[in-house]
Amino acid sequence: QEVLRELPPKSESIVRCALYEEQQALYRSALADARNQLRHAFAERGFGGSHITVLAVLTRLRQLCCDPALCREDYAGGSAKLDSCMELLHEAAAGGHKVLLFSQFTSMLERLETRIAAEGLRSCTLRGSTPKEQRAALVESFNQDDTDVFLISLKAGGTGLNLTGADIVIHYDPWWNLSAQEQATDRAHRIGQKNSVQVYKLIAKDTIEEKILRLQESKKELADAVIRQGGSLFSLSPEQLAELLA
């Protein structure tokens, strides 16, 4: 911003979502199960040999925060975060704003896509599998038409997109790599943007997501915790992992 002084202001807000009762019960059960799985994994393979188990249990906890239906096919309850997100989307549409909505989980984007359509809003979706030519066409259309929401996966939308047609950015789930999250925000907050940009970070209250947020804030970037670019696999210290599962 010191160099690009013509950029409009950007503000960020944390939206904390209290889990619904059924969702909270599933989360607490999964948290207890995660501790047991890791205890056995560390006893058998040690901390250094348990990365796959660590990734699996943390991913499950994060999915339960997003929407339990991501990992429980029989789940018929609601998702506090999904409902909060839809409220933001309706407010944005009513105010004439366009939204970029990011998630690391393509399965979550599919659920959002279905819910958005059911509630009368218009969306388009960019995934890692979207062909290059189609990506360009989607971007151009979104910047010019009346589509309300552009849904984007982590792998597809971190860099190289100019989406200044939107002036609201929603991060549905916190990313391990804060710099990648900021790069995603910059798809809207970049040269060509004429409006102030509002960024919302949706965080499930009293869960691993709040702890990821605190970890981000204390380190500003989790570069030393990421051993494969994009956060698909990472290594946390025993102390950091204990904090996440406390």
Side-chain angles (χ1 to χ4, degrees), residues 19-88:
L19 299 183
Y20 295 148
E21 185 175 349
E22 183 179 0
Q23 191 177 7
Q24 189 176 63
L26 287 173
Y27 181 84
R28 288 176 176 171
S29 175
L31 182 61
D33 186 53
R35 291 168 180 155
N36 287 333
Q37 285 189 55
L38 292 177
R39 189 179 302 114
H40 292 306
F42 295 162
E44 292 178 1
R45 301 184 295 277
F47 181 80
S50 301
H51 286 152
I52 293 177
T53 304
V54 170
L55 178 63
V57 299
L58 294 184
T59 297
R60 182 175 178 82
L61 291 174
R62 293 174 61 231
Q63 288 177 327
L64 288 170
C65 293
C66 290
D67 187 338
L70 295 183
C71 53
R72 287 285 299 268
E73 292 185 3
D74 60 341
Y75 183 74
S79 163
K81 187 185 284 194
L82 179 55
D83 289 344
S84 294
C85 184
M86 291 308 303
E87 288 180 15
L88 286 176

Side-chain angles (χ1 to χ4, degrees), residues 95-112:
H97 300 282
K98 302 182 72 159
V99 180
L100 303 186
L101 177 49
F102 291 94
S103 175
Q104 292 181 68
F105 301 109
T106 55
S107 52
M108 190 66 234
L109 294 180
E110 291 170 1
R111 293 191 63 78
L112 282 160

Side-chain angles (χ1 to χ4, degrees), residues 116-134:
I116 288 168
E119 296 194 15
L121 298 178
R122 296 185 58 190
S123 71
C124 58
T125 304
L126 183 63
R127 301 176 175 85
S129 59
T130 304
K132 184 177 180 180
E133 297 78 10
Q134 190 177 346

Side-chain angles (χ1 to χ4, degrees), residues 169-181:
V169 177
I170 298 175
H171 292 289
Y172 193 86
D173 39 88
W175 298 10
W176 294 108
N177 188 336
L178 183 59
S179 64
Q181 186 168 306

